[in-house]
Structure formats: C-alpha cells, structure tokens
Amino acid sequence: MKHAPLVSVGIPFLNPGPYLDLAVRSVFAQTYPNWELILVDDGSTDGSYERATAIQDPRVRVLRDGQNKGLPARLNEIVRLAKGELVARMDADDAMHPLRLEKQVGLLQANSELDGVTTGAYLIDTEDKPIALLPGRQPSAREVLARGGFLHPSLLARKAWFEAHPYSLDYPRAEDRELFVRTFKTSRLLVLPEPLYFYRWFGVPRGKTLRTGYRSERKVMWKYGPNLVGWEPSLRLIALSFGKELLTWLLEWTHLEKRFQTRRAFQPLLERDRGEALKILQAIRDTPVPGWD
C-alpha cells in the first residue's frame, strides 16, 4: 500500500501564461521528495490547462470545471482535495526555492505546537530578474491588520488548520489578510527569515483593482480591528485606507498612475544575493518535468 504524500502543493491558476512553467519546475526541484501537486484551473483561456495536462507524473493532478470561481474558492477546494497532512500555498506566476519544503516541513515536524510556517522571499520582475528582497519577520498584530503581515503564497500549514479556518469569499483581494487577522490570536504561525520563495512583482495594480482591495481591507479592519488592536489604531488604519483609495482616483484623473510604485518593505539586493538568486532560478529552469522534457 502506498503512503499518502505528506505535503500537498496547491497551485490555482488563471491565464498565467509562460510563468506556470517556472512554478511547476520549482516543485519538481524540491529537495523534499514526499509531495503531490494539485493544479486547479480557474477558467484559463491561454493554453495553460493544456500545458498542465501534458505533465506525466502520478504525483500531479490537474483539475478543471470550466468555471471562474476566484482565488478564495479555489484555495478551499485545494484543501478539500489534498491528500497530505500538510498543505503548501503557491501562486502560478511565482517559484519556490528548492529548500522551501524541506525547511518548512522540518519545522512543523519538530514543533507540534506550530500551525504553519511562512518565509521571506526574493522579489523578481516579469523577466525572472531578482530586484529586491522581502525580509521575513514575525509581524505584530497591527502589522497583520494593516498589511497582512505574512507572505501568504509562502504559507505551508497543517491541513487540519486550513480546514478549521477556511478562506472567506467576502473579502476580494484581501482574503489572506482576513484569514491572518481572524486567526492571529488563536494560531501559531512562524516566519522563516530566509528568502525561500520567489515572489513576482508586476508593479502596482490598476486603480480599480486597488480600490477593491482597499474596500475589502476596511471590512476586515471594522470587523476585527477593535478587538485585535483597539479602536484608535483601527480608526487610523481605516482613515488611511480611505486616503489611499482617494489617491488612486486622483492619480487616474491626472493620468499619473505609473508614478505610484511603492514597494512596501522591500530591501535592495546585494550583488552576492542577486548572484545566488540567479543561480537558483537557473537550476529551477533546468529541472526536467516528465511530459514536458
């Protein structure tokens, strides 16, 4: 009798184009071998589904129902489908460091009180070039409420934790923040400072997309903020969110959207770190995938 995979890696995708190749290859490049990969198509029309189904490996499952249900619904679906004791998040346009699963799994196996682990990350541009560093550190309650605190796509957590805390469908573009805020006081998530993830940066989204996120974040702040950090800090964050939404309108009206390119807490890369990141990315690109190579 075969043993069930310990880690279920879930990648929902919607028209990721060529970026899906790097994401999948980074799973096959993992030093930790006991995984399954669940690829869930959310209504792609760019040939990504056909590309995914060309993979010939029994550890890989590709699913499609012809609908566009959105990211939160697909993440909950992946948890339901997962055969593993642990579930690893990942976006279809990103990549994993080859040591990601090994280090995260090791921490969860050694610390039964932990619910999940996230990591730091390299920031890469649309051409796979490393451009900055996202340092991993434990966030405060205010940081989680204000910005989400944890790097969501790098999350690896126990399936039981995901089942106990499903994603809400009521916070478009803020489902991760709602999850982390809702569970902050009752869960234990550890942040690995190492950049074990490659997070793709496309620049600041267009105003309409940003405004959707700001409205969802305010819903999170109103609902959870007073109990988490108190009324005064919550009201300040809500006012700031209104201000950012107003700014997007002004920038659109004056046609200055491209000047609004904030990169949050990103740090410049030292040359040795850039060289190391490029070396890892090349190793991922060279990793064969059965059915593709």
Side-chain angles (χ1 to χ4, degrees):
M1 180 178 178
K2 293 184 178 180
H3 294 288
L6 180 61
V7 178
S8 296
V9 180
I11 304 180
F13 63 95
L14 173 62
N15 295 333
Y19 299 127
L20 182 65
D21 279 36
L22 189 68
V24 170
R25 290 185 192 279
S26 76
V27 179
F28 278 82
Q30 292 299 297
T31 58
Y32 180 82
N34 195 15
W35 52 262
E36 68 163 350
L37 174 58
I38 305 171
L39 293 163
V40 179
D41 177 39
D42 194 36
S44 296
T45 57
D46 65 347
S48 298
Y49 172 74
E50 291 74 17
R51 177 65 169 163
T53 55
I55 301 171
Q56 298 177 9
D57 191 295
R59 296 172 296 176
V60 179
R61 285 186 280 163
V62 184
L63 300 105
R64 185 187 209 182
D65 58 16
Q67 301 181 58
N68 176 229
K69 295 181 178 179
L71 180 60
R74 295 303 185 187
L75 295 178
N76 289 334
E77 181 181 353
I78 284 169
V79 172
R80 290 193 298 271
L81 293 168
K83 298 177 181 178
E85 174 190 336
L86 308 175
V87 178
R89 275 278 292 113
M90 186 182 178
D91 287 337
D93 50 15
D94 296 340
M96 296 193 290
H97 189 293
L99 293 173
R100 178 200 169 183
L101 294 185
E102 179 182 332
K103 293 201 171 188
Q104 288 182 302
V105 170
L107 274 171
L108 287 179
Q109 287 181 318
N111 299 276
S112 59
E113 75 280 4
L114 284 180
D115 295 301
V117 184
T118 66
T119 77
Y122 291 106
L123 202 70
I124 58 175
D125 65 13
T126 56
E127 298 178 347
D128 297 348
K129 296 178 181 177
I131 54 177
L133 189 67
L134 271 170
R137 63 182 183 85
Q138 290 295 139
S140 66
R142 188 185 185 284
E143 288 170 333
V144 172
L145 184 63
R147 295 184 294 276
F150 302 95
L151 181 62
H152 181 225
S154 75
L155 175 63
L156 185 148
R158 303 185 192 279
K159 179 178 179 177
W161 182 83
F162 278 114
E163 290 175 327
H165 307 290
Y167 290 90
S168 172
L169 307 187
D170 299 328
Y171 302 87
R173 297 197 62 81
E175 66 281 338
D176 53 342
R177 189 182 320 196
E178 193 276 338
L179 172 68
F180 291 137
V181 169
R182 171 167 34 105
T183 62
F184 188 78
K185 287 188 173 182
T186 59
S187 301
R188 187 173 177 192
L189 300 179
L190 181 70
V191 180
L192 275 169
E194 300 171 71
L196 297 176
Y197 194 84
F198 291 89
Y199 181 80
R200 195 173 301 276
W201 175 256
F202 292 99
V204 175
R206 295 188 63 83
K208 182 178 180 181
T209 301
L210 281 173
R211 288 190 289 275
T212 298
Y214 292 145
R215 290 162 189 163
S216 291
E217 77 175 9
R218 290 198 295 274
K219 287 172 62 177
V220 174
M221 292 167 181
W222 276 115
K223 183 172 183 178
Y224 301 106
N227 182 55
L228 187 65
V229 299
W231 274 105
E232 184 177 347
S234 298
L235 291 174
R236 288 180 179 177
L237 289 172
I238 290 168
L240 179 61
S241 178
F242 272 116
K244 290 187 292 186
E245 183 176 352
L246 176 61
L247 179 60
T248 66
W249 284 110
L250 291 173
L251 289 170
E252 278 192 5
W253 184 61
T254 56
H255 305 288
L256 295 174
E257 302 103 312
K258 291 184 179 180
R259 294 191 180 183
F260 189 60
Q261 292 291 319
T262 302
R263 287 186 181 174
R264 300 186 299 175
F266 304 160
Q267 294 181 1
L269 273 178
L270 299 175
E271 280 306 310
R272 68 170 183 271
D273 295 327
R274 189 188 311 277
E276 178 66 16
L278 286 169
K279 180 180 177 181
I280 295 166
L281 286 167
Q282 187 58 54
I284 292 171
R285 283 191 287 266
D286 292 340
T287 300
V289 173
W292 286 359
D293 304 296

